[in-house]
Amino acid sequence: MTSTAQELHPAPTLEPGRTILELKGLEKRYPGTHALKPTNLAFKASEIHAIVGENGAGKSTLIKLLTGVMPRTSGDVIWEGTPAALATPHEAMALGINAVHQEVVLCRHLTVAANMFLGEEASRFGILQQRAMVREAQKIIDDLGFDLPAHVVLGDLTIGQQQLIAAARATVRGTKFLIFDEPTAYLTRKEADQLFTLIRRLKGEGVTIIYISHRMEEVFELADRVSVLRDGTLVGTRNIAETNDAELVKMMINRSIEQVYHKEHFTPGATLLEARNLSGKGFENVSMTVRAGEIVGLYGLIGAGRSEFVTALYGRHRKSAGQILWEGKAVQVNSEHDAIRLGMALAPESRRDQGLCLNLPVGLNLNLPIYKRISSNLLISSAQEKTEADRQIANLRIKTPTRKALASSLSGGNQQKIVIGKWLAHGAKLFIFDEPTVGVDVGTKAEIYRLFSALLSNGAGIILISSYLPEVYELADTLHVFRRGKLVATHGFHTADHEEILTQALAEKQEKPGGQI
Amino acid sequence: MSTEAISAERPKRNYNALFGLTLLALLVLLWIILSVATPSFASANNISNLLRQGSMIAILAVGQTFVIITGGIDLSVGAVVGFATVIVAMLINAGVPIFLAILITLLVGVAIGMFHGFGIVKMGLPPFIITLATLTSLRGIGLLMTNGNSISINNDAFQLFSRSSFLGIPNLFWMVILVGIPAYIFLHHSRWGRYLFSVGSNAEASRLSGVNVQRTIYMAYTLSGLCAAFVGVLLASRIGIGNPTQAEGWELQAIASSVIGGTSLFGAVGSVHGPLLGAFILATINNGANLLNVNAFWQRIITGVLIIVIVYFDGLRRRGK
Ligand SMILES: Nc1ncnc2c1ncn2[C@@H]1O[C@H](COP(=O)(O)OP(=O)(O)OP(=O)(O)O)[C@@H](O)[C@H]1O
Ligand SMILES: [Mg+2]
């Protein structure tokens, strides 16, 4: 017990306010992209320092340099007064620099416990002490207040839960400097709160925190100072008390945004899709309709069954009961082919696993659903292939040198734009967007919401899943709340307040098993 | 940043072509060295011989590449070649018209490829396993059908084909062009080619984007089986016999050619011209080593070392981009 506690709570080595890490002219060039221009910045001991900026501004690049994941092009990093080479992740960890990366980089096939101790497994005479590790890991997880089992295989958890495990992992190794790269992207408010508690506690223990996020309210809630990056340049650093939302956005994108949540109300048309008492793995007895011209929002905690519901709707997973009506007619949707033929499109939740072919060009990814349309007979029209891809790149401001660059070389938010962009030219009637704006910056979010409106005005319907309540709240014409695989409440546009919806998504007490209709 | 970005991007855009040129340069270099080192190399006779040797592996390598791009492997191609020589020999000896005999043999190759697709897609077997199983069984079936004997083909016209030339170029090499051009168009200019890449890169993402993943896998193995059966026909024509134990180890040569030609065994990376050049590089090395009287055992070692060197440098360049 005591040993865990010590590992968890490294003794503060510096008094607050002193510089712990300093960047001097730090710079990174990728072939074709000057991702980080020479940057000077000093981080103070036990501060929470937020970094904000557009997609592709260079935030993750900075983190990769500090954690030894990527070599820098030039410049120095001064750690506690001495220059540090930071050539390997191991070296960074030895100094006490740890990170929770934007994309979870853990082993999906290993257990949670094995992941937490990866690289420093407990062993006796060369034999892994598996059970001891699970016990230890469980203690750490419980101590952090996360409600997760340590013995399950990591891949069985949701992305959000995996992200929490990654955070837990980073805290166990004598950390003095801990970086979070968009940790809340896949978290719901409840899980995010758990994480914030953890972050504040670490700060109290003298750990310096770097916090990257596209959500301004989180920055104002947590941070002491905030730095803004634009196009690889540090635009400025502010004390959080001396700045505001508008100023930061202005610094980030060099213009102001009056309204992020662009919402137009259209008179709903005919019913496109009706789900009647649909059940399947992870959801039960769900009924809903989607009409042309409306956005149907699905809100709930991670694991509430929303993604399972839409993937079943889309024919990817089996339905055990229930019926689907498409434009009034009963249809069988047994495969994604059936769904696509009817006119559905799905932008899935996980861009890495379901959304992108990472080692293929951006253009190919964008055109994948429409190759049939842009080829005549057997041959692809290369002119159309080019114009279609370039149009999405321009519309969504996907930051890439060319459409031939590999998807893996794009920043996280720009990859997300491909996941959405590939369906926009497809001409579907029902768009299912599962967490469409994860990791997308404010400016582009506004752009995407405007595109939603364009789709609606063309007579399409949208199912929008989000774990970020403001997004569904401001956009959905009809808002369904999911809890543990059931649809537990339905609201019209702004007919309930955040409080009420949150309670419905969380509440265990009001739940009357089987009583929901 | 955009102007800077675009100029810096340029080399990468033509990376495929560039790598092809490098391979071509290597091939030409080998030819020049060998012509100087041994007078018999540049003789018309030897060059035709070399082209004939390389052609069959080249065609196998193209089919193999389709499979590898989807992230799979086809270990059966050597056995299919041997089996196809038996089928075509038996049919011709039974008096079936040559054209029909060839067609039936090709269909057998297609059926074998479909069977692989079935094993992978429907039975969930790893490609390595199902094609390994076919590799041993096909040799067995062939031996049963022939009682372990070779069948000599009594048809001169059939054998003449592989021995003659057209416009001074051996017919067998023309066959590479016959296969290579449609294969190139298919892989790089048709949507099916794009689907091969996307399935090899991320099958789930492709599936959710509306790509018929199962059909794509069937297609890759079927094409590989078809190429192998076609090579079987060519081989039967060249040696004049049907024998199930022929083409021993050709699957490995095909895989080696493909990999030398820049195909990634992890899938999603590959071309048609690369494996073709790879096959002729391998053929040149074997041919040159023979002429220089290099011990056959050493030839194998040299081939192995060469594979490591070429793939290593290719990997370096890809990472260094
Ligand atoms: N491996 C790579 N190869 C080439 N270019 C890269 C690579 N990784 C990132 N880049 C480029 O560097 C720039 C900065 O990327 P970075 O990931 O740091 O952005 P970011 O600020 O984290 O954005 P986001 O908010 O979308 O995560 C981008 O233009 C990106 O395309
Ligand atoms: Mg990033």
Side-chain angles (χ1 to χ4, degrees), chain A residues 2 52 79-80 98 103 127 148 185 215 224 257 313 320 343 378 398 423 426 430-431 449 500 507:
Chain A
T2 37
V52 297
W79 172 258
E80 295 189 322
N98 276 294
E103 312 286 353
I127 312 230
L148 294 169
R215 298 184 184 165
D224 301 310
I257 294 187
L313 205 58
S320 56
L378 192 71
I398 299 175
W423 286 110
H426 183 259
L430 174 68
F431 291 85
Y449 300 147
E500 191 185 340

Side-chain angles (χ1 to χ4, degrees), chain A residues 29 31-32 314 316 336-337 340 352-354 356-357 359-360 364 369 371 375 378-380 385 401 422-423, chain B residues 1 4-5 8-9 185 189-192 194-195 197-198 201-202 204-205 207-212 268 321:
Chain A
R29 281 173 191 274
Y314 192 65
R316 179 63 185 89
E336 29 327 287
H337 267 271
I340 293 169
R352 289 213 128 199
D353 299 334
Q354 310 168 299
L356 291 176
C357 295
N359 58 354
L360 292 178
L364 197 158
Y371 270 121
S375 37
L378 192 71
L379 297 192
I380 295 168
E385 190 180 25
K422 70 159 121 179
W423 286 110
Chain B
M1 70 147 269
E4 169 199 43
E9 268 316 299
I185 294 174
H189 292 283
S190 84
R191 66 193 156 101
W192 299 111
R194 296 287 195 279
Y195 295 165
F197 285 102
S198 80
S201 176
N202 187 342
E204 179 68 18
R207 189 174 171 171
L208 291 175
S209 302
V211 174
N212 192 332
K321 273 190 305 187

Side-chain angles (χ1 to χ4, degrees), chain A residues 172-409:
Chain A
V172 291
R173 10 188 99 213
T175 298
K176 292 183 196 161
F177 192 92
L178 183 53
I179 303 160
F180 290 94
D181 195 351
E182 295 186 39
T184 53
Y186 289 102
L187 300 189
T188 40
R189 191 59 222 186
K190 181 182 159 211
E191 291 152 330
D193 279 337
Q194 293 178 347
L195 188 72
F196 292 171
T197 313
L198 170 65
I199 291 177
R200 291 208 185 86
R201 179 160 130 198
L202 289 169
K203 171 187 155 83
E205 287 153 9
V207 179
T208 308
I209 310 278
I210 306 297
Y211 189 86
I212 298 179
S213 180
H214 289 292
R215 298 184 184 165
M216 286 301 156
E217 71 279 9
E218 289 178 354
V219 170
F220 283 95
E221 190 176 334
L222 270 181
D224 301 310
R225 293 198 298 160
V226 51
S227 291
V228 181
L229 280 175
R230 184 171 71 225
D231 242 343
T233 311
L234 180 70
V235 191
T237 300
R238 299 278 184 275
N239 287 322
I240 207 75
E242 294 158 13
T243 185
N244 57 40
D245 214 292
E247 186 193 23
L248 290 184
V249 171
K250 184 92 204 297
M251 287 165 78
M252 270 164 62
I253 62 179
N254 215 3
R255 64 194 155 89
S256 38
I257 294 187
E258 327 75 67
Q259 195 204 2
V260 179
Y261 296 106
H262 173 87
K263 174 75 190 160
E264 290 173 50
H265 292 273
F266 299 95
T267 0
T271 302
L272 281 175
L273 174 108
E274 184 176 351
R276 281 192 190 156
N277 309 98
L278 231 50
S279 298
K281 189 167 169 283
F283 64 96
E284 216 185 302
N285 201 15
V286 175
S287 302
M288 68 174 65
T289 59
V290 185
R291 289 167 296 176
E294 80 171 337
I295 296 183
V296 174
L298 309 186
Y299 179 73
L301 297 189
I302 304 248
R306 299 161 302 164
S307 299
E308 288 79 357
F309 169 68
V310 291
T311 45
L313 205 58
Y314 192 65
R316 179 63 185 89
H317 293 123
R318 274 196 57 240
K319 296 165 274 287
S320 56
Q323 206 183 11
I324 296 177
L325 276 75
W326 180 260
E327 297 182 326
K329 283 192 280 290
V331 288
Q332 291 292 323
V333 186
N334 293 326
S335 69
E336 29 327 287
H337 267 271
D338 295 344
I340 293 169
R341 207 171 313 122
L342 286 172
M344 295 192 216
L346 170 75
E349 175 182 25
S350 163
R351 61 173 168 256
R352 289 213 128 199
D353 299 334
Q354 310 168 299
L356 291 176
C357 295
L358 278 173
N359 58 354
L360 292 178
V362 173
L364 197 158
N365 274 287
L366 283 170
N367 285 327
L368 200 52
I370 58 167
Y371 270 121
K372 202 169 199 161
R373 204 184 72 215
I374 61 175
S375 37
S376 53
N377 302 326
L378 192 71
L379 297 192
I380 295 168
S381 145
S382 49
Q384 272 191 51
E385 190 180 25
K386 179 176 184 311
T387 43
E388 290 289 349
D390 286 345
R391 194 173 74 217
Q392 298 307 337
I393 289 173
N395 277 353
L396 291 167
R397 297 200 208 143
I398 299 175
K399 191 169 172 188
T400 174
T402 79
R403 74 197 153 86
K404 300 203 174 177
L406 301 187
S408 59
S409 74

Side-chain angles (χ1 to χ4, degrees), chain A residues 33-112:
Chain A
T33 312
H34 201 170
L36 191 66
K37 295 172 190 145
T39 300
N40 299 308
L41 182 60
F43 298 104
K44 296 177 189 162
S46 89
E47 73 167 335
I48 300 180
H49 194 121
I51 298 179
V52 297
E54 276 186 293
N55 293 131
K59 305 180 295 297
S60 298
T61 301
L62 173 61
I63 299 328
K64 286 179 189 154
L65 299 186
L66 291 183
T67 49
V69 174
M70 284 273 180
R72 57 181 171 244
T73 308
S74 70
D76 285 309
V77 176
I78 315 289
W79 172 258
E80 295 189 322
T82 31
L86 296 174
T88 63
H90 196 257
E91 192 188 335
M93 280 179 206
L95 292 176
I97 303 178
N98 276 294
V100 179
H101 288 281
Q102 188 169 8
E103 312 286 353
V104 181
V105 275
L106 294 175
C107 307
R108 300 167 48 90
H109 300 291
L110 300 181
T111 62
V112 168

Side-chain angles (χ1 to χ4, degrees), chain B residues 40-107:
Chain B
S40 41
F41 180 81
S43 72
N45 209 346
N46 186 54
I47 293 289
S48 330
N49 201 16
L50 189 160
L51 290 182
R52 288 200 186 97
Q53 278 173 7
S55 295
M56 291 191 272
I57 298 294
I59 295 173
L60 281 186
V62 169
Q64 184 71 251
T65 301
F66 291 156
V67 168
I68 298 180
I69 287 175
T70 66
I73 193 105
D74 189 349
L75 295 178
S76 74
V77 290
V80 175
V81 171
F83 189 64
T85 62
V86 173
I87 300 283
V88 78
M90 285 184 151
L91 287 171
I92 290 177
N93 285 356
V96 177
I98 292 185
F99 173 75
L100 196 62
I102 293 176
L103 190 71
I104 293 173
T105 310
L106 295 183
L107 287 177

